[in-house]
Amino acid sequence: MRRVLFTVLSLWLAFGSARAQSATQLRFCLRSEPKTFNPLLVEEDSSDTVRYLTGGVLVRLNRKTQKLEPGLATDWKVSRDGRTIAFTLRPGLKFSDGTSFSAADVAYTVQQMMEPSLHSPIGDTFRSGEGATESKILAADKVAISFPAPVAGLDRLFDQVAIMSASSAKKEMAVLGPYYVSENHAGSYLMLERNPNYWRQDAAGRPLPYIDSIRLDIQQNRDLELLRLERGEIDLVNSIDPEYYEKLVKEKPALAHDAGPSLDSEHMWFNQVPTAAISDYKKAWFQSANFRRAVSEAINRQDLARIAFRGHARPAVGIVSPANQFWFNDKLRPHPFDQKSALQRLQKDGFRLHDGVLRDVNGHVVEFSIITNAGNRYRERMATMIQQDLAGVGMKVNVVTLDFPSLIERITRTFTYEACLLGLVNTDLDPASVMNVWLSSAENHQWSPGEKKPATAWEAEIDRLMRAQASTLDDHRRKQYFDRVQEIAWEQEPFIYLVTKNALSAISTSLSNAQPVVLRPQVFWNVDELKLAPEVAATR
Amino acid sequence: MRRARQLATVFLLLVALASAAAGFLAPSGYAHQFRDTPDASPSRQHWLGTDDLGRDRFARLLYGTRVSLCLAPAAALLSSLLAALIGGVAGFCGGRLEQLVLAGTDLFLSLPWLFLLITIRALLPLNLPPVTSVVITFMLLGCLGWAVAARVICSDAHLLRNCDFILLARASGLGGWRLLVRHLLPNLMPIVYAQFWLSIPIFILTEANLGILGLGVSEPLPSWGTLLRDLESCSSMSHLWQFAPLLLLIAAVSCFHLLVVDREFPA
Amino acid sequence: MADRLLEIRISADYPNKPAVLDDCSLEIGRGEIVGLVGKSGCGKSTLSLALLGLLAWRGGQVRGSIRLNGRDLVGLSEGEMRKLRGREIALVLQSPMSALNPALKLGTQLHEAWKAHSSGSSEACNRAVGEALENVSLPQEPAFLQRYPSQISVGQAQRVLIAMAILHRPPLLIADEPTSALDIITQSEILELFSKVSRKLAMSILYISHDLLSLASISQRVAVMENGAIVECSPTMKIFRDPSHPYTRQLIRALPVIPQVFAAPAR
Ligand SMILES: Nc1ncnc2c1ncn2[C@@H]1O[C@H](COP(=O)(O)OP(=O)(O)OP(=O)(O)O)[C@@H](O)[C@H]1O
Ligand SMILES: [Mg+2]
């Protein structure tokens, strides 16, 4: 009898505990179907999300502290010459399919990544010079990787390299991250299951992640995504726009999160391409730092942030957002709104304001057009506000909204524009990622792309500093160089930075432990520590 | 019916008057941004509140009415005349010419106009004053909008061409343009009218969409199109006054219809 | 029949119907009324169109000669033909309602017909129109001319058409079944009108009809058409008394009663 009771009791207990732990599922949307599951070929957002959720990396950039933390490697060291990095691996780890993990897998991944025929976008970030990359397996848990030339910020780059198994039959589907892809319903949704072999544990020794599975619905339509959030069908939206944020604040304030200034900024610039088909006197204006500074000071950034972005933006400082904790030059401040000073600067160049009309030294009326992409309400608003602000110093501005392809055509190929208003999306903290903008020979050097040799002394100086920081390994020395770049850019204003947008997100109240940050992926960067409230979990 | 028509006339006159007197009725102007009070509710100072940049909605409505009420009918007139001319002549002459014109309209309809408009925008200078830009847009619409109407008119003209009264007119020694203009055209008028009234609201809305191509009205000048486009971002039904442009558009177009219906010759 | 106005000897084809008129020959004297009978589809209307040079508009083609006052019309250009139509040869059609342009006021249509050949003052025009209306016993007051075709009776409409046809006092008038759409009383009125007009203006009339009886009452000669050819053409009396062609005999036998006047004396 006692035995029977015991069995019943234990069954009841087992059942009860199963109930208590009934499977939890996190749900959110991908904007498009992931193009690839091969972590080395990731290019677009959706694949990146899957890689972040499933991939195990040697070192992980903590999205909150913006510092590197151990991942699969417990320890790492970059050599003095900046060409070699040595990792000590966590022992006894297994891939999601049970294959064991060792230095050979790291060597395999790096070899694959640097394979020229694969055209891996991540591989490209490591390519600093001609020659082969070598991986040396020093022991089962020790590996050293040597690149042909020094790579700036080498250790951080490994945050993007998800290690693949050299021997698993499941190839890239065998993973080391918190989740693995269990089902893929093309075009509709993706199921990720908790990886039982994931290495991390919480402080109490419980294996992470807490949430059992993730359902990623493919949803292209933004409005539908937001609607599903309001209905409670999904748990988070990584980034929302100010207008929707305001709506949430009114209707469901608990869902709205503002993580402060993000890395993304909005800026405008004048066309300084020497061969551009615009009149010479206009080119002369645009090439004058006084003119650019005057325009900058005549724009009320505070108003742009407050009205165009409903207060969810800050006046921008320069190249680097204050959200980039290490690299931001904190001596710099946003340009003040000061139309008097703007006029003084213009007078230095011989401009005269008369009857509300500004004329240059030769009597040409100052009139130019700003192009921006149509359909972006915030940019259209900013452009219209800038139009009114600049009218305050007698400049006549025409706002032209263009469809995106023809805008790109104009700013990259035909150079038939005068000024352009666009935004910059930054995903990387390291200055290496903006080399392609700030080197005068770069294609994304938008005010005058692909200069054969620097057109101005300050551009030459920026070239020198950017190259210097790229070939220096000591981060503090690099920062000194980059601080100087930020200062020159602030003084010369080839890009007139307008506002830094806030990182806004929406998170369901049932999700706990969420700490939205400005770096991608804003809401689920700590996915392995996220928890779903049990009552919600039970009703699913 | 007569009563309704009188009311419609009075209403349209009032709208026209108000938009003509915009400078007087809404002295704040359509462009000035009252930055301290964006998105304000109606008040004594701003009868319809302010828009997202703090511009007076009432002023924008009046000026927008002026732009659209002048230009959309002008464009509709242009396209209807073109359609009547092309379709009328083709259907009337028949034979090879008709086939050629029909093939031409088909080709015209199948052309990717979006790309053409983009090209046209590329040819236009960027520094266009807003008014010029909107005039060009409406004239373009007028020049491009004839094809569908022309097909309808062509088939009507084709039927008419074999009518007894046209035969008799010929037998009386009439021919050529005179026959076309004096005898055929009056019979095509009802359908030309219909096409005309149909195209006005279409043009108003198309102009709004063309803003996306950098054609159309550019900031800060308002038109019904841009005002309607603003409605897109209007998320809540609580700000009913924001729908004033839509109401005005519907009211104006229906009034026009009222005025025109039954004005044709008694059948 | 020394004084010949018109001599025809033509053949005509439609694209998919050759020889609709097959060597059809007919002569009309000055001031003479010639009746033309034949069963439906035999080519009567085709002949009238051929005379006016309008067959091309129906896709047809004419060969042979049409001599009007000794001048051959077949080779004339469209421009020259146009000058003849309405001034030298006029046409009255079967259904007055469809032959009048529904979109035009009666006055306008008459004025148009007048202006086709005369470029005088509006006074001269009004005078000519007034005279023509008088000849067909229609009211001449302006209010009548302000009406649309839908606002008058069928009989009035046919009179308007006749007025239009005699506006320029053409030597030849072709009446293509002008009475078949009318009630019997109006029919006789119109018939009388035709013979009156012919007498008064010394106008020749080619009077086309199915109706032998009404034809007989006004025409001096009757031509019988079968399959696109004139098979018999004799004075009216002779046709009834002594039809020579089998088809003519068939026609006369088909009459419900043979009018006494024409009946052959008992043998
Ligand atoms: N446009 C045309 N194309 C081809 N055939 C035609 C055309 N018009 C008439 N026909 C044919 O030519 C023939 C003669 O037509 P027509 O109209 O001259 O006859 P009709 O004697 O006037 O007949 P009805 O007494 O019915 O008016 C008919 O068989 C008709 O089908
Ligand atoms: Mg006939």
Side-chain angles (χ1 to χ4, degrees):
Chain A
M1 186 65 204
R2 266 186 90 174
R3 255 182 90 151
V4 172
L5 193 70
F6 179 77
T7 331
V8 169
L9 204 69
S10 61
L11 269 176
W12 184 80
L13 272 176
F15 182 72
S17 63
R19 244 178 76 114
Q21 289 179 354
S22 73
T24 49
Q25 188 181 65
L26 177 72
R27 284 182 165 208
F28 59 95
C29 293
L30 295 179
R31 204 58 58 70
S32 63
E33 189 156 356
K35 293 239 158 46
T36 177
F37 289 123
N38 184 337
L40 300 177
L41 293 180
V42 167
E43 254 174 326
E44 95 294 4
D45 265 359
S46 300
S47 306
D48 192 31
T49 299
V50 174
R51 179 176 69 184
Y52 191 88
L53 295 171
T54 61
V57 291
L58 294 165
V59 292
R60 178 54 94 199
L61 180 80
N62 183 310
R63 301 305 203 250
K64 190 173 175 133
T65 61
Q66 301 185 358
K67 299 229 160 60
L68 278 185
E69 286 176 354
L72 301 174
T74 49
D75 191 32
W76 63 95
K77 201 165 164 39
V78 180
S79 70
R80 255 234 210 106
D81 62 2
R83 286 178 44 210
T84 306
I85 184 164
F87 292 101
T88 308
L89 306 181
R90 226 171 265 278
L93 298 191
K94 285 197 168 84
F95 281 90
S96 55
D97 67 336
T99 334
S100 58
F101 164 71
S102 76
D105 299 311
V106 176
Y108 169 76
T109 305
V110 170
Q111 179 255 321
Q112 284 285 307
M113 175 172 82
M114 300 312 288
E115 172 64 44
S117 61
L118 190 70
H119 299 293
S120 161
I122 321 241
D124 289 341
T125 62
F126 284 92
R127 259 183 267 276
S128 53
E130 299 285 309
T133 304
E134 277 173 41
S135 306
K136 240 191 234 134
I137 302 174
L138 308 168
D141 62 348
K142 281 207 163 49
V143 60
I145 303 157
S146 304
F147 293 90
V151 181
L154 179 56
D155 45 1
R156 279 163 184 264
L157 290 180
F158 278 91
D159 174 69
Q160 306 280 313
V161 184
I163 301 301
M164 301 197 296
S165 168
S167 51
S168 167
K170 300 186 99 173
K171 300 246 166 81
E172 71 244 19
M173 302 313 279
V175 293
L176 290 160
Y179 293 90
Y180 67 93
V181 178
S182 60
E183 289 167 52
N184 175 16
H185 300 265
S188 100
Y189 71 96
L190 216 65
M191 285 296 293
L192 309 189
E193 279 314 315
R194 182 174 184 283
N195 175 4
N197 299 330
Y198 184 53
W199 60 272
R200 268 191 84 189
Q201 297 177 338
D202 65 4
R206 269 180 68 189
L208 293 176
Y210 296 123
I211 298 174
D212 297 304
S213 65
I214 303 181
R215 183 183 160 113
L216 300 173
D217 287 317
I218 313 237
Q219 178 62 264
Q220 289 174 353
N221 187 317
R222 279 289 280 174
D223 297 331
L224 288 181
E225 182 180 3
L226 297 172
L227 200 68
R228 296 184 62 184
L229 175 86
E230 284 167 41
R231 289 213 204 110
E233 291 173 10
I234 56 174
D235 299 306
L236 60 93
V237 178
N238 239 349
S239 106
I240 58 179
D241 67 4
E243 223 140 72
Y244 184 71
Y245 182 92
E246 285 298 295
K247 180 170 175 256
L248 265 192
V249 164
K250 271 189 216 119
E251 293 166 9
K252 298 185 170 164
L255 270 56
H257 291 263
D258 184 342
S262 68
L263 297 181
D264 302 344
S265 62
E266 298 285 319
H267 64 278
M268 67 175 272
W269 72 91
F270 288 101
N271 181 357
Q272 295 189 48
V273 176
T275 54
I278 45 181
S279 31
D280 286 337
Y281 63 86
K282 283 195 177 177
K283 269 185 213 162
W285 306 342
F286 301 159
Q287 283 165 5
S288 152
N290 277 329
F291 181 83
R292 298 192 298 265
R293 286 289 294 271
V295 167
S296 174
E297 284 179 345
I299 294 174
N300 190 336
R301 291 174 169 76
Q302 210 77 51
D303 276 0
L304 294 186
R306 183 173 56 85
I307 295 172
F309 290 89
R310 303 284 193 253
H312 300 289
R314 312 263 158 96
V317 179
I319 311 178
V320 180
S321 158
N324 190 343
Q325 293 158 15
F326 180 75
W327 295 102
F328 175 64
N329 181 344
D330 54 15
K331 285 198 214 76
L332 299 177
R333 296 281 170 271
H335 291 272
F337 171 58
D338 186 347
Q339 299 204 326
K340 236 184 233 134
S341 151
L343 280 171
Q344 278 163 11
R345 281 180 202 280
L346 288 167
Q347 270 158 20
K348 274 190 217 156
D349 275 11
F351 288 92
R352 290 280 171 274
L353 180 66
H354 190 68
D355 280 344
V357 177
L358 187 72
R359 289 171 192 274
D360 72 3
V361 100
N362 298 317
H364 298 293
V365 173
V366 177
E367 174 179 7
F368 59 85
S369 59
I370 300 181
I371 59 174
T372 189
N373 61 316
N376 185 321
R377 214 175 298 148
Y378 303 98
R379 289 201 186 124
E380 284 171 13
R381 277 187 200 149
M382 278 198 293
T384 311
M385 294 180 74
I386 290 171
Q387 191 177 40
Q388 175 162 320
D389 282 343
L390 294 186
V393 291
M395 298 184 184
K396 185 168 181 328
V397 174
N398 298 305
V399 175
V400 179
T401 54
L402 296 173
D403 63 301
F404 211 71
S406 43
L407 178 92
I408 296 298
E409 169 89 7
R410 277 176 191 270
I411 62 175
T412 60
R413 244 199 296 255
T414 59
F415 306 117
T416 43
Y417 72 100
E418 291 167 343
C420 178
L421 174 65
L422 267 189
L424 218 52
V425 172
N426 282 311
T427 48
D428 203 338
L429 299 171
D430 197 278
S433 65
V434 292
M435 287 288 273
N436 63 349
V437 174
W438 291 95
L439 283 186
S440 63
S441 57
E443 284 311 311
N444 289 339
H445 186 257
Q446 237 118 37
W447 65 92
S448 174
E451 291 176 356
K452 291 274 181 313
K453 64 180 201 326
T456 56
W458 57 267
E459 282 174 273
E461 178 65 3
I462 289 181
D463 280 2
R464 192 187 65 77
L465 291 164
M466 285 307 284
R467 291 215 172 84
Q469 70 77 25
S471 56
T472 308
L473 296 167
D474 175 31
D475 276 349
H476 290 276
R477 289 262 310 285
R478 288 181 69 202
K479 178 155 163 49
Q480 284 171 8
Y481 292 130
F482 197 50
D483 277 352
R484 183 69 198 125
V485 172
Q486 294 176 53
E487 281 159 21
I488 296 174
W490 191 91
E491 283 156 16
Q492 296 293 336
E493 299 209 86
F495 284 163
I496 297 171
Y497 287 90
L498 300 167
V499 295
T500 304
K501 298 190 283 184
N502 285 8
L504 308 176
S505 52
I507 305 170
S508 133
T509 45
S510 58
L511 197 65
S512 57
N513 251 359
Q515 308 171 33
V517 294
V518 299
L519 290 186
R520 265 141 246 253
Q522 295 90 331
V523 178
F524 57 90
W525 66 274
N526 56 343
V527 63
D528 47 4
E529 292 170 348
L530 293 181
K531 281 183 183 165
L532 276 169
E535 67 271 27
V536 178
T539 58
R540 287 238 168 135
Chain B
M1 196 67 197
R2 257 187 71 207
R3 202 49 185 279
R5 228 183 266 160
Q6 284 168 351
L7 281 179
T9 320
V10 170
F11 177 78
L12 285 179
L13 275 177
L14 276 182
V15 170
L17 264 177
S19 66
F24 175 73
L25 286 174
S28 45
Y30 60 84
H32 186 77
Q33 299 162 7
F34 295 90
R35 292 197 178 164
D36 294 331
T37 51
D39 271 326
S41 305
S43 63
R44 195 167 306 158
Q45 198 190 354
H46 307 294
W47 293 0
L48 287 175
T50 58
D51 71 358
D52 48 8
L53 294 181
R55 297 177 293 195
D56 187 66
R57 281 186 195 274
F58 184 63
R60 291 183 70 70
L61 186 60
L62 289 186
Y63 281 97
T65 305
R66 193 190 274 187
V67 167
S68 295
L69 219 50
C70 288
L71 292 175
L77 188 70
L78 181 66
S79 82
S80 308
L81 284 184
L82 275 176
L85 202 72
I86 295 174
V89 170
F92 186 60
C93 296
R96 286 269 166 72
L97 183 71
E98 186 179 356
Q99 282 172 4
L100 206 78
V101 169
L102 285 182
T105 36
D106 280 348
L107 186 75
F108 194 86
L109 282 173
S110 64
L111 285 180
W113 285 113
L114 210 61
F115 292 102
L116 192 97
L117 287 171
I118 291 174
T119 323
I120 289 175
R121 172 69 261 192
L123 294 177
L124 291 175
L126 289 176
N127 276 313
L128 275 181
V131 177
T132 319
S133 154
V134 68
V135 169
I136 290 179
T137 307
F138 273 109
M139 290 310 108
L140 269 177
L141 287 180
C143 292
L144 300 180
W146 58 268
V148 178
R151 294 207 104 225
V152 180
I153 291 172
C154 179
S155 70
D156 256 42
H158 187 96
L159 288 180
L160 284 174
R161 131 199 171 86
N162 290 325
C163 269
D164 275 358
F165 63 85
I166 294 290
L167 178 71
L168 195 77
R170 277 191 210 285
S172 322
L174 283 158
W177 282 109
R178 222 181 155 82
L179 185 60
L180 192 74
V181 173
R182 299 306 307 253
H183 281 265
L184 191 74
L185 216 53
N187 283 286
L188 289 176
M189 267 349 253
I191 187 145
V192 176
Y193 268 135
Q195 295 296 335
F196 175 76
W197 293 111
L198 272 180
S199 30
I200 290 183
I202 292 178
F203 284 167
I204 288 175
L205 295 177
T206 316
E207 181 267 322
N209 291 329
L210 280 183
I212 294 166
L213 300 181
L215 282 164
V217 180
S218 51
E219 293 283 3
L221 191 70
S223 70
W224 279 355
T226 46
L227 295 175
L228 289 179
R229 203 141 61 91
D230 284 348
L231 283 184
E232 245 174 54
S233 62
C234 169
S235 45
S236 70
M237 292 299 281
S238 58
H239 301 344
L240 276 181
W241 63 88
Q242 297 187 1
F243 290 93
L246 187 64
L247 284 183
L248 189 60
L249 171 73
I250 293 173
V253 172
S254 356
C255 282
F256 275 128
H257 275 283
L258 258 183
L259 286 186
V260 166
V261 168
D262 283 355
R263 270 294 153 90
E264 304 137 21
F265 55 86
Chain C
M1 226 201 294
D3 198 10
R4 273 187 209 140
L5 174 70
L6 183 75
E7 285 173 81
I8 359 177
R9 190 181 189 91
I10 52 170
S11 302
D13 319 280
Y14 287 115
N16 43 18
K17 201 161 163 73
V20 170
L21 294 182
D22 190 7
D23 200 20
C24 167
S25 57
L26 184 67
E27 295 170 0
I28 298 178
R30 245 173 250 286
E32 188 186 26
I33 301 183
V34 175
L36 180 63
V37 281
K39 73 172 181 223
S40 187
C42 70
K44 303 182 298 288
S45 300
T46 307
L47 178 64
S48 71
L49 290 186
L51 288 178
L52 285 157
L54 286 174
L55 211 53
W57 290 100
R58 292 274 153 99
Q61 232 186 356
V62 184
R63 282 168 286 121
S65 74
I66 303 170
R67 303 186 82 80
L68 182 72
N69 280 327
R71 181 175 174 213
D72 195 353
L73 306 187
V74 171
L76 291 189
S77 71
E78 169 64 18
E80 286 168 311
M81 266 324 283
R82 197 185 294 167
K83 278 186 209 141
L84 286 177
R85 289 182 209 131
R87 203 168 57 175
E88 305 273 326
I89 311 175
L91 179 68
V92 176
L93 286 174
Q94 173 178 17
S95 158
M97 278 315 170
S98 66
L100 283 172
N101 191 333
L104 295 184
K105 290 175 188 155
L106 299 176
T108 319
Q109 296 192 47
L110 285 161
H111 289 166
E112 281 298 309
W114 190 76
K115 279 183 205 151
H117 295 295
S118 315
S119 54
S121 62
S122 62
E123 241 169 68
C125 175
N126 286 338
R127 210 178 320 119
V129 169
E131 238 170 75
L133 287 177
E134 194 189 344
N135 278 331
V136 298
S137 327
L138 276 178
Q140 296 162 52
E141 69 251 30
F144 180 73
L145 294 178
Q146 287 299 313
R147 294 199 192 165
Y148 283 97
S150 56
Q151 295 165 328
I152 58 175
S153 74
V154 187
Q156 279 176 317
Q158 194 58 291
R159 283 170 197 269
V160 171
L161 284 174
I162 298 172
M164 205 162 18
I166 62 174
L167 204 52
H168 296 284
R169 300 172 179 259
L172 176 64
L173 188 134
I174 302 168
D176 191 351
E177 301 180 25
T179 57
S180 55
L182 306 177
D183 65 86
I184 203 142
I185 308 236
T186 323
Q187 243 183 50
S188 67
E189 281 170 18
I190 295 286
L191 273 174
E192 209 156 297
L193 180 60
F194 271 113
S195 52
K196 181 189 121 190
V197 162
S198 165
R199 255 178 281 122
K200 189 169 173 191
L201 307 178
M203 197 184 321
S204 308
I205 300 179
L206 176 63
Y207 192 98
I208 301 173
S209 179
H210 297 282
D211 182 5
L212 250 181
L213 289 185
S214 60
L215 242 177
S217 66
I218 64 161
S219 45
Q220 282 109 49
R221 282 193 304 138
V222 172
V224 180
M225 184 182 245
E226 190 190 15
N227 291 334
I230 302 291
V231 291
E232 184 169 1
C233 183
S234 340
T236 313
M237 288 288 191
K238 183 164 180 294
I239 288 279
F240 280 91
R241 289 211 178 124
D242 184 18
S244 62
H245 195 270
Y247 177 66
T248 319
R249 268 183 234 135
Q250 202 185 333
L251 268 180
I252 291 179
R253 238 182 283 127
L255 285 177
V257 264
I258 297 171
Q260 270 309 302
V261 252
F262 301 126
R267 298 226 171 121

